[in-house]
Amino acid sequence: MTQTLRNSPPRRYLPVIEEGARGEFWRCGADGVLRITRCQSCGHYIHPHRDACPQCHSRDVTPEAVSGKGTLETWTVNRQKWFRGLDEPFAVGAVTLDEQAGLNLTTNIVNCDLDALSIGMKVRVVFENIEDTWLALFEPDTAKQ
Ligand SMILES: [Zn+2]
């Protein structure tokens, strides 16, 4: 029986990354910049990626750099060891990016005391690289506002 080392990275199920703009969200962390698809006609951000804007139906959409800063809207802490190799507890949160109301990402909140999480706290992106995937996770933004 194989034992998981204490300092091994957490087990992740990685997405199948498509070519082009559709897969950009999973690759953009390579240079540390979060990119979200944006409509070039009306400026609406679209996440997850779509090939057409839900606001104006334009197909002129492309990933654009965003600040990587947002607000924690809600979260839950998983304390269940669903499978071997899973490091619990961990937080799953809904983050709204500063760029647009309702521009939400479901992600993990990391690098913090789980008991210190609060609705409305400011967070910033931090990437976790596994193979050719960069996962956009969020941590408390301790920078002065
Ligand atoms: Zn649009």
Side-chain angles (χ1 to χ4, degrees):
M1 184 171 146
T2 304
Q3 281 195 315
T4 302
L5 296 175
R6 235 180 122 71
N7 62 352
S8 63
R11 181 173 166 182
R12 298 273 194 189
Y13 290 104
L14 298 176
V16 174
I17 301 179
E18 298 178 66
E19 293 300 314
R22 189 171 285 275
E24 178 62 19
F25 177 77
W26 302 107
R27 292 187 299 263
C28 67
D31 64 3
V33 177
L34 183 62
R35 290 183 182 83
I36 300 291
T37 297
R38 189 174 197 191
C39 175
Q40 301 302 296
S41 295
C42 75
H44 187 75
Y45 287 97
I46 306 157
H47 181 80
H49 171 89
R50 290 189 200 171
D51 292 328
C53 175
Q55 297 294 310
C56 73
H57 309 292
S58 170
R59 296 186 69 81
D60 186 11
V61 298
T62 191
E64 274 191 15
V66 293
S67 66
K69 294 176 181 284
T71 302
L72 181 61
E73 300 294 344
T74 190
W75 78 97
T76 188
V77 174
N78 178 74
R79 299 181 191 281
Q80 174 68 40
K81 194 175 194 72
W82 294 103
F83 50 80
R84 192 160 21 120
L86 181 69
D87 289 335
E88 84 291 341
F90 60 88
V92 178
V95 170
T96 298
L97 296 180
D98 286 353
E99 279 73 11
Q100 178 178 291
L103 182 59
N104 298 331
L105 278 69
T106 302
T107 180
N108 289 142
I109 311 301
V110 298
N111 301 331
C112 63
D113 178 352
L114 297 177
D115 292 332
L117 295 175
S118 63
I119 291 173
M121 80 186 298
K122 302 306 286 181
V123 291
R124 66 185 173 204
V125 72
V126 57
F127 292 99
E128 180 179 329
N129 175 221
I130 303 173
E131 300 171 5
D132 61 352
T133 302
W134 280 263
L135 301 168
L137 312 179
F138 283 76
E139 64 181 6
D141 186 358
T142 55
K144 299 260 188 281
Q145 300 297 314

